[in-house]
Amino acid sequence: MQITFILTLFLFFFASGINATKHLYRGGNASTPVNKIREQDFGKADADGNHHPGPAGHPQGLSTFADPNHLPVNTKHVHVTTPQKAQDAGFHVHDDQRANTHHTIAVSGPHPAATLQQDLHNIGWTKMNRDQAISHHAEHNTKRSLPEEHDSRPMNRVRMVHEAVQASKRAELEKLD
């Protein structure tokens, strides 16, 4: 049984690390990635002046992309950060699984509306133009080499882990018989 658990953990961490997001890209103006806090992004502040996390599975927040090629075509100014920097600043990074690259930087708990814009600025963004962002992405996102028959799409990784767990369970049951 311990072998099954260890094998499952190994497969989970291997599968989740194949396409780990290293950088988040956001279009903005020449000086900032966040011009203003929009109600459509973070919702309305409550009576106490706080923004709250959105519904589970689709939090409200700042749209970013793991691949700058998915930014709107007319984007001139790109701001780059890492998921770790956003988390260190007290935000939650949610992989929306949209276009396999969209991520939302969301508040992780009640957050004062008065400081939200400045706190988002303080995440640690680096400004570059679109071409620089695309080159940056290409340099930092080389994938591990995998066997050709391996399909690293997210649902197939989940299926791979599920099948490994089921095979381990069947092997354990066969030992008991």
Side-chain angles (χ1 to χ4, degrees):
M1 192 65 159
Q2 288 179 347
I3 293 172
T4 303
F5 179 72
I6 292 169
L7 176 64
T8 303
L9 279 178
F10 171 78
L11 286 173
F12 174 77
F13 286 115
F14 175 76
S16 64
I18 291 173
N19 286 328
T21 300
K22 296 178 182 178
H23 294 91
L24 298 173
Y25 301 86
R26 174 168 174 80
N29 64 32
S31 60
T32 178
V34 187
N35 193 27
K36 65 179 183 173
I37 300 301
R38 300 181 320 168
E39 191 175 306
Q40 70 190 45
D41 291 335
F42 286 93
K44 214 173 200 173
D46 66 13
D48 295 329
N50 291 313
H51 288 282
H52 295 273
H58 187 70
Q60 294 174 308
L62 203 61
S63 289
T64 62
F65 293 90
D67 183 346
N69 289 299
H70 291 156
L71 290 168
V73 177
N74 61 348
T75 302
K76 293 180 185 175
H77 306 286
V78 179
H79 300 269
V80 184
T81 192
T82 65
Q84 188 62 50
K85 286 180 182 178
Q87 291 167 353
D88 290 347
F91 292 95
H92 171 73
V93 177
H94 179 74
D95 181 355
D96 299 322
Q97 296 295 320
R98 287 189 280 162
N100 209 20
T101 182
H102 189 272
H103 291 70
T104 301
I105 297 177
V107 296
S108 55
H111 198 103
T115 64
L116 183 56
Q117 185 171 355
Q118 188 59 44
D119 293 340
L120 287 166
H121 284 280
N122 293 339
I123 285 176
W125 301 90
T126 302
K127 183 186 170 291
M128 49 184 71
N129 68 38
R130 185 182 184 84
D131 292 337
Q132 290 169 325
I134 291 169
S135 295
H136 178 267
H137 175 70
E139 287 173 25
H140 291 90
N141 288 285
T142 54
K143 295 178 182 168
R144 292 183 205 164
S145 58
L146 299 169
E148 268 187 47
E149 70 276 359
H150 180 81
D151 189 346
S152 62
R153 290 177 292 195
M155 287 310 297
N156 287 335
R157 289 183 297 191
V158 171
R159 189 176 300 115
M160 177 182 73
V161 171
H162 175 75
E163 289 172 357
V165 169
Q166 294 302 317
S168 295
K169 285 181 182 178
R170 282 193 298 274
E172 291 292 324
L173 288 173
E174 288 175 4
K175 284 181 187 177
L176 294 175
D177 288 341

